Amino acid sequence: MPDNPPAGHLDDDDYPAYTMGRAADLLGTTPAFLRAVGEAGLITPLRSEGGHRRYSRRQLRIAARARELVGQGTPVEAACRIIDLEDRLGEALRHNEELRRDEELRRDEEPRGRPDGPGTGDGR
């Protein structure tokens, strides 16, 4: 773990600030559930110097989504796959929108036809 004081990480969604027990309490679940989503590859907690799992706020939001799906009857492995696919879809949609904007900018920057060019009807 970094030697930086915790106050320096208050706004860092990726800082592993939560122990497994605290994370489970916040999510209203069990440490076993957090281990299961970790084993399924949905989140990979960092480890403290003593080897204990530590979770970030971003990881807790992902685990909360998994908890929601599991609460609706979805098996843990399937919930993890759904979340992975949702993330990939969101990323693809953002990328497509970026490509559309780039294409629009490119079209806006293309020179329009010259008014004195061929086919302007100057009679010659």
Side-chain angles (χ1 to χ4, degrees), residues 56-107:
S56 69
R57 287 190 308 222
R58 185 180 318 277
Q59 289 172 324
L60 293 185
R61 282 193 298 273
I62 294 168
R65 175 70 175 125
R67 171 86 169 82
E68 178 184 332
L69 290 169
V70 169
Q72 296 170 358
T74 306
V76 171
E77 294 80 13
C80 293
R81 183 70 176 141
I82 288 168
I83 294 167
D84 178 54
L85 291 171
E86 288 174 340
D87 288 347
R88 288 180 187 208
L89 175 59
E91 187 176 314
L93 291 171
R94 283 187 295 278
H95 182 69
N96 284 344
E97 183 58 32
E98 185 178 310
L99 291 173
R100 269 191 219 99
R101 280 194 307 268
D102 290 349
E103 177 64 18
E104 287 175 14
L105 287 173
R106 186 186 62 73
R107 272 189 263 130

